Amino acid sequence: MGLVALDLPAPAQLRGRWAAFAAVCAARKWGSMCHAEGRVWHFDDAGGNWLKLHHLDEGRAVLTGNDHEYSETYYGPAAEEFGEEETDLLAGAPDWWRPVVQQTLDAEDYVGFVYGFDGADGWKRAEYSVDDGFRSVGLPALSLEETRESIAVFTRNAPGLNGAAPPQAAVDALIAADGDVTEDHVIAVIGKGGWDPAAGAAAARKFLAF
């Protein structure tokens, strides 16, 4: 059984959007839901659904995650615990996917999807027909439009905006900074007062490690 090619942005394309949303979250003191930590980029929806992008050597990456409501794949311990047929998320996968998955299982997290990225070959996953829950987790960085919309939603109550929407040009500049974010970038989006632009800029710059 072969792997299935996926039409997803490369990690380099995801970085600016992911970092921009992380900046807004951190400025609001919600940084735990979207952040970079070493070689890992994290996102969750604050409702128990999550994903992590693990950067490996040679430009490779593995993305794992789970949606406890919509992941119909049951891998490893989850299949046994819930009495469901197992979906082999590593069927046909190269060996370098496996340590990341094992790390997740060792942390006693369920795994609903595993995607691997290998340079010119792009993103791939094992072959299966059930919904793995990846889309329902809601990673904003998958598109420019989703990132813009999520930033607008998360800044709606920013004291510095006085009820206004963040300026579109400022949001686009925050994304275009590609992780190289300054306090001024963040202030332009959230306004002055109430939130912490320094924390936002610091959170975004952690995405520059890879």
Side-chain angles (χ1 to χ4, degrees):
M1 186 176 294
L3 295 174
V4 175
L6 301 170
D7 184 16
L8 295 174
Q13 294 172 296
L14 291 169
R15 183 173 64 181
R17 305 169 195 163
W18 207 321
F21 188 64
V24 170
C25 290
R28 190 173 180 171
K29 301 189 185 304
W30 288 7
S32 62
M33 72 178 295
C34 184
H35 60 270
E37 185 174 350
R39 300 170 70 93
V40 180
W41 297 352
H42 171 93
F43 171 78
D44 68 67
D45 67 356
N49 307 313
W50 61 274
L51 56 79
K52 294 179 185 286
L53 193 159
H54 300 252
H55 293 270
L56 308 179
D57 294 335
E58 300 178 27
R60 294 170 172 170
V62 174
L63 188 149
T64 61
N66 187 64
D67 187 307
H68 67 82
E69 297 173 296
Y70 294 105
S71 291
E72 298 176 5
T73 47
Y74 293 86
Y75 177 75
E80 181 176 353
E81 181 171 340
F82 293 101
E84 298 284 352
E85 181 178 353
E86 182 174 24
T87 300
D88 187 356
L89 300 177
L90 294 178
D95 289 342
W96 52 269
W97 293 23
R98 297 179 183 274
V100 174
V101 176
Q102 189 59 53
Q103 177 184 335
T104 305
L105 295 176
D106 288 346
E108 300 185 348
D109 286 324
Y110 297 127
V111 180
F113 48 85
V114 182
Y115 299 168
F117 178 84
D118 191 4
D121 288 338
W123 288 102
K124 293 183 178 180
R125 65 160 172 83
E127 186 175 348
Y128 47 81
S129 58
V130 296
D131 185 357
D132 61 17
F134 168 70
R135 291 288 178 180
S136 58
V137 173
L139 176 67
L142 292 179
S143 75
L144 177 60
E145 293 73 20
E146 290 177 68
T147 305
R148 285 170 168 168
E149 181 178 351
S150 294
I151 289 174
V153 169
F154 271 67
T155 57
R156 185 176 297 155
N157 298 321
L161 294 179
N162 296 314
Q168 186 66 68
V171 172
D172 287 347
L174 180 66
I175 295 168
D178 197 22
D180 192 11
V181 171
T182 66
E183 288 186 43
D184 286 341
H185 282 119
V186 182
I187 290 170
V189 172
I190 66 173
K192 294 182 178 179
W195 287 7
D196 188 348
R205 293 183 69 82
K206 289 185 177 180
F207 285 80
L208 295 174
F210 295 94

